[in-house]
């Protein structure tokens, strides 16, 4: 299948092309504003499917809306008619097509042109009225508030929120791409004359801003967002794509003493926290127990032994652990426990606790094993 994509250097197109290539589509015709006119002739003649994603969002003059969103569509359809090519064509419109503004009028005109073309030629047309689309590679400080706020916050720049109560309708780029590939395969989501992408998230602007700042602060407080909330998960992924390239990494506070170190890595409200413990050769750490807190220990490097003793008993239970044979050891409540490095190099243990550490209620009581 030969696929023509107009606006090929744009946000949606870049993501679509990347996934088409992932799925082994090879004959992809990429056309953009700087392409040669004779390329459009060839593509219009040979295409088996068209993703018409080209358009104008922020022209210098309002009249350019109509030229970019109606004029080029007209040119493309005339070439298809000239070559008798009635392949399916998808067009990216906007929910603003319902509004009485220059951009909305130009998008509405493009829709009507496509519907008229379908009526005359019998070609299959797929009109998508997109709300705000967010995700990686969306250009900041252009026409996306999510991209702009993400970029500015990630780069320590100011943002301006006129009304945090404004409700935005948003769709995520990966959901858009999934739907467009479904359309390519004849499985589009269509109701009446229009196609749609799901899910659509309706979120107040103030909530988006709060989430973005929480993502930024997560490097310091170590709390990561709630990944079971799909919007937060997708917004977090989008936010990270705007990090400056020299700030992908960040340091953690290592609590270091003669025994080694203990470093908190990730915290969550409802899934506990993950830490990294390093013990020097011969060192024993722990010798405490918990009422309710539970843990999991995973030794990833070195050799050691984890010892347990029930609070009111004398029997000591031992589990020998080694980084060459990964095994998880559960730490039940009511058992005092410790971990000793029995090797000649550092013992590195990944530790998970079922709750983030609370200095005011640590639920940790000293008791020798």
């Amino acid at each position: 299948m030969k696929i023509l994509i107009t606006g090929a250097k744009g946000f949606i197109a870049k993501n679509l092309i990347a996934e088409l290539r992932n799925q082994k589509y090879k004959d992809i015709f990429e056309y953009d504003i700087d392409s040669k006119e004779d390329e459009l002739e060839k593509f219009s003649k040979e295409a088996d499917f068209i993703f018409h994603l080209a358009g104008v969002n922020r022209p210098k003059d309002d009249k350019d809306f109509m030229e970019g969103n109606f004029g080029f569509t007209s040119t493309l359809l005339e070439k298809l008619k000239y070559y008798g090519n009635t392949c399916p064509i998808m067009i990216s419109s906007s929910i603003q097509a319902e509004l009485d503004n220059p951009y909305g009028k130009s998008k509405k005109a493009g829709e009507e042109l496509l519907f008229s073309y379908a009526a005359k030629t019998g070609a299959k047309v797929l009109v998508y009225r997109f709300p705000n689309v967010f995700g990686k590679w969306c250009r900041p400080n252009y026409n996306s508030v999510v991209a702009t706020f993400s970029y500015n916050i990630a780069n320590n720049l100011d943002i301006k929120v006129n009304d945090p109560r404004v409700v935005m309708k948003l769709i995520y780029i990966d959901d858009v791409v999934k739907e467009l590939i479904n359309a390519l395969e004849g499985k589009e989501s269509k109701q009446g004359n229009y196609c749609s992408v799901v899910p659509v998230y309706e979120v107040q602007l103030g909530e988006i801003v709060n989430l973005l700042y929480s993502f930024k602060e997560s490097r310091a407080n170590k709390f990561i967002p709630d990944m079971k909330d799909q919007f937060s998960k997708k917004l977090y992924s989008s936010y990270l794509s705007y990090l400056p390239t020299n700030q992908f990494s960040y340091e953690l506070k290592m609590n270091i003493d003669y025994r080694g170190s203990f470093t908190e890595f990730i915290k969550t409200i409802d899934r506990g926290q993950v830490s990294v413990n390093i013990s020097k050769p011969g060192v024993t750490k722990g010798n405490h127990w918990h009422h309710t807190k539970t843990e999991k220990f995973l030794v990833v490097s070195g050799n050691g032994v984890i010892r347990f003793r029930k609070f009111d008993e004398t029997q000591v239970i031992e589990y020998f652990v080694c980084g060459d044979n990964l095994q998880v050891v559960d730490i039940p409540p009511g058992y005092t426990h410790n971990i000793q490095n029995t090797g000649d190099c550092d013992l590195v243990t990944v530790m998970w606790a079922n709750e983030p550490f609370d200095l005011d209620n640590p639920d940790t009581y000293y008791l020798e094993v």
Side-chain angles (χ1 to χ4, degrees), residues 230-245:
Q230 289 298 303
F231 178 73
S232 294
K233 175 184 175 182
K234 294 169 182 177
L235 186 65
Y236 181 63
S237 295
S238 178
Y239 167 79
L240 288 183
S241 72
Y242 294 96
L243 287 175
T245 55

Side-chain angles (χ1 to χ4, degrees), residues 206-222:
E207 181 180 348
I208 294 171
V209 170
N210 289 339
L211 280 170
L212 292 174
Y213 275 117
S214 76
F215 300 158
K216 182 180 180 65
E217 293 163 4
S218 68
R219 288 185 161 196
N221 63 27
K222 304 176 188 68

Side-chain angles (χ1 to χ4, degrees), residues 290-293 355-365:
H290 315 290
H291 278 300
T292 302
K293 181 185 291 186
E355 60 186 33
F357 179 72
D358 182 355
L359 185 62
D360 295 327
N361 183 27
D363 187 15
T364 301
Y365 306 92

Side-chain angles (χ1 to χ4, degrees), residues 73-253:
T73 300
S74 178
T75 299
L76 175 62
L77 296 182
E78 287 301 321
K79 292 188 182 299
L80 291 173
K81 285 191 285 187
Y82 178 80
Y83 290 110
N85 185 350
T86 56
C87 71
I89 178 169
M90 166 271 167
I91 188 171
S92 58
S93 187
S94 167
I95 56 174
Q96 291 200 44
E98 299 177 351
L99 303 180
D100 186 23
N101 60 47
Y103 177 67
K105 289 179 180 178
S106 67
K107 283 297 189 181
K108 180 69 173 177
E111 291 179 359
E112 292 175 346
L113 194 62
L114 212 66
F115 288 136
S116 175
Y117 170 78
K120 292 178 182 178
T121 65
K124 180 180 181 179
V125 300
L126 304 170
V127 178
Y128 284 83
R129 281 185 170 178
F130 292 146
N132 296 280
V133 186
F134 72 100
K136 66 182 184 301
W137 306 334
C138 185
R139 178 179 169 186
N141 299 297
Y142 182 56
N143 69 334
S144 167
V145 67
V146 173
T148 298
F149 284 4
S150 297
Y151 175 86
N152 285 14
I153 291 171
N155 287 270
N156 299 312
L157 301 173
D158 292 335
I159 64 170
K160 182 179 181 181
V161 182
N162 292 323
D163 186 355
R165 297 166 299 177
V166 168
V167 175
M168 299 192 64
K169 291 185 176 181
L170 299 156
I171 52 177
Y172 183 57
I173 187 60
D174 287 2
D175 297 323
V176 174
V177 168
K178 180 180 179 181
E179 168 60 26
L180 294 185
I181 293 179
N182 283 343
L184 177 66
E185 297 172 350
K187 299 178 291 186
E188 66 275 0
S189 300
K190 189 173 185 180
Q191 290 184 333
N193 291 330
Y194 299 97
C195 300
S196 61
V197 175
V198 293
V200 177
Y201 300 100
E202 296 191 20
V203 189
Q204 285 191 341
L205 183 58
E207 181 180 348
I208 294 171
V209 170
N210 289 339
L211 280 170
L212 292 174
Y213 275 117
S214 76
F215 300 158
K216 182 180 180 65
E217 293 163 4
S218 68
R219 288 185 161 196
N221 63 27
K222 304 176 188 68
F223 277 93
I224 61 173
D226 180 3
M227 295 299 175
K228 73 177 181 293
D229 180 273
Q230 289 298 303
F231 178 73
S232 294
K233 175 184 175 182
K234 294 169 182 177
L235 186 65
Y236 181 63
S237 295
S238 178
Y239 167 79
L240 288 183
S241 72
Y242 294 96
L243 287 175
T245 55
N246 63 349
Q247 293 184 29
F248 288 175
S249 69
Y250 60 101
E251 293 185 356
L252 296 174
K253 182 181 181 296

Side-chain angles (χ1 to χ4, degrees), residues 278-291:
I278 299 177
S279 302
K280 296 295 183 182
V283 164
T284 298
K285 288 187 174 184
N287 286 317
H288 59 237
W289 65 283
H290 315 290
H291 278 300

